């Protein structure tokens, strides 16, 4: 098993690029997951682990997990703590990091079932929001998430970490824009989440295959998206806040869709 001690090693350089660059992640068709739990989640979810990096201390501390992961991964490298710190995206690294092949979730959208429930995200920019939405969508057993191409990168380290492994399991689809997706999937009843002039979400029955669309944190949904949706829905608020955080709004909407 090879030990890497130089930051100039090609594997280290490429992994640092995967951490920092959405463009490089798309070009290479790979992303990183860091931490024992996330790496194990990737393995148990059937994701293809191309490289496992681990420090000597981590190998000793998590011996059984390391053995399983190293047997599963295509390649395994031991790295020094300083080298691992260069690749790491966390303040207190556990010493495990995987390079994972981009996930193929598209086939899971081929069939929309009778009671399918989806969330669509348009131009969502905060990785923390996206990670939370993925985690919540998995908790509420939604059938999938649709993202417009101008959303933040679902493979960014912050999204992967914030999803708590949900990114490996919940189906997702990235489309050019939400209106085109809705146009091509007219069996879905669409609901645009807006602030006002809409149906109270607590009074909406999501009995048909449904998709709720949530917009950008600051600007909300585009007018053309709102106009194309079958319905407009809003979350009633009696307090003084003008609007909710995108992930909070999404959580409430998903709960109402599946309850």
């Amino acid at each position: 098993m090879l030990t890497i001690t130089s930051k100039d090693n090609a594997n280290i350089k490429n992994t640092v690029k995967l951490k920092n660059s959405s463009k490089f992640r798309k070009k290479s068709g790979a992303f990183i997951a860091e931490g024992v739990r996330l790496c194990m989640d990737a393995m148990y979810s059937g994701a293809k682990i191309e490289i496992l990096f681990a420090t000597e201390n981590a190998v000793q501390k998590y011996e059984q997990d390391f053995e399983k992961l190293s047997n599963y991964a295509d390649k395994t490298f031991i790295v020094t703590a300083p080298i691992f710190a260069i690749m790491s995206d966390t303040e207190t690294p556990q010493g495990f990091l995987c390079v994972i092949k981009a996930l193929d979730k598209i086939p899971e959208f081929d069939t929309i079932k009778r009671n399918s429930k989806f969330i669509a995200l348009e131009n969502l920019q905060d990785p923390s929001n996206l990670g939370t939405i993925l985690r919540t969508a998995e908790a509420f057993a939604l059938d999938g998430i649709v993202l417009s191409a101008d959303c933040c990168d679902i493979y960014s380290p912050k999204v992967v970490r914030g999803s708590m492994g949900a990114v490996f399991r919940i189906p997702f689809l990235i489309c050019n824009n939400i209106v085109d997706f809705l146009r091509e999937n007219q069996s879905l009843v669409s609901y645009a989440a807006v602030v006002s002039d809409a149906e109270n979400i607590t009074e909406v029955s999501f009995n048909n295959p449904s998709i709720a669309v949530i917009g950008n944190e600051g600007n909300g949904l585009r007018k053309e998206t709102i106009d194309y949706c079958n319905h407009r829905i809003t979350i009633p608020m009696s307090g003084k806040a003008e609007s909710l955080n995108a992930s909070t709004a999404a959580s409430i909407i998903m709960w109402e869709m599946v309850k």
Side-chain angles (χ1 to χ4, degrees):
M1 194 174 297
L2 181 64
T3 299
I4 298 176
T5 58
S6 171
K7 66 180 181 180
D8 294 323
N9 180 279
N11 293 291
I12 303 301
K13 286 184 173 181
N14 286 338
T15 303
V16 172
K17 288 181 182 179
L18 288 175
K19 176 183 73 170
N20 295 328
S21 171
S22 174
K23 184 177 180 179
F24 187 74
R25 289 192 290 268
K26 291 176 183 177
K27 179 181 177 181
S28 61
F31 65 103
I32 67 169
E34 184 181 349
V36 177
R37 177 176 175 177
L38 273 181
C39 291
M40 296 298 287
D41 275 351
M43 180 184 72
Y44 288 133
S45 300
K48 180 176 175 55
I49 298 178
E50 297 180 339
I51 305 175
L52 166 66
F53 294 99
T55 63
E56 290 185 0
N57 286 342
V59 172
Q60 295 174 8
K61 185 174 182 179
Y62 306 103
E63 184 177 355
Q64 292 184 347
D65 291 331
F66 174 75
E67 183 177 357
K68 292 176 183 177
L69 282 167
S70 61
N71 288 333
Y72 181 83
D74 291 346
K75 299 177 183 178
T76 299
F77 297 113
I78 304 299
V79 298
T80 62
I83 296 299
F84 194 92
I86 295 172
M87 298 186 293
S88 174
D89 189 58
T90 63
E91 293 183 3
T92 54
Q94 291 183 315
F96 273 52
L97 186 148
C98 288
V99 174
I100 301 171
K101 182 178 174 61
L103 307 166
D104 183 12
K105 298 288 187 176
I106 293 177
E108 300 180 54
F109 278 79
D110 287 345
T111 303
I112 294 175
K113 298 175 290 187
R114 180 179 177 183
N115 292 316
S116 294
K117 300 291 186 290
F118 298 91
I119 281 283
L121 306 174
E122 182 176 76
N123 193 223
L124 200 76
Q125 293 302 300
D126 188 334
S128 296
N129 280 335
L130 180 52
T132 299
I133 290 170
L134 287 166
R135 183 179 180 183
T136 306
E138 183 187 32
F140 290 156
L142 259 70
D143 293 279
I145 293 181
V146 178
L147 302 96
S148 63
D150 56 2
C151 283
C152 60
D153 185 7
I154 196 169
Y155 292 126
S156 79
K158 186 173 287 188
V159 172
V160 174
R161 187 166 61 251
S163 78
M164 295 296 289
V167 69
F168 302 123
R169 295 180 290 271
I170 190 161
F172 64 84
L173 175 69
I174 300 172
C175 61
N176 288 331
N177 65 75
I178 298 301
V179 170
D180 284 350
F181 175 85
L182 296 177
R183 190 176 288 119
E184 294 168 4
N185 295 272
Q186 295 190 22
S187 61
L188 288 170
V189 179
S190 53
Y191 298 84
V194 296
V195 175
S196 60
D197 298 324
E199 299 174 68
N200 185 327
I201 191 171
T202 62
E203 299 173 359
V204 176
S205 297
F206 297 94
N207 294 325
N208 297 310
S210 305
I211 183 165
V213 190
I214 301 194
N216 175 270
E217 290 88 346
N219 301 316
L221 290 170
R222 297 184 176 95
K223 184 179 185 301
E224 64 174 333
T225 306
I226 296 172
D227 292 342
Y228 190 85
C229 286
N230 303 119
H231 302 274
R232 301 181 185 189
I233 55 173
T234 191
I235 300 170
M237 296 184 293
S238 56
K240 295 182 179 180
E242 294 182 359
S243 62
L244 294 170
N245 171 276
S247 60
T248 301
S251 297
I252 294 171
I253 290 170
M254 286 187 277
W255 163 248
E256 290 290 340
M257 292 178 79
V258 302
K259 73 176 184 180

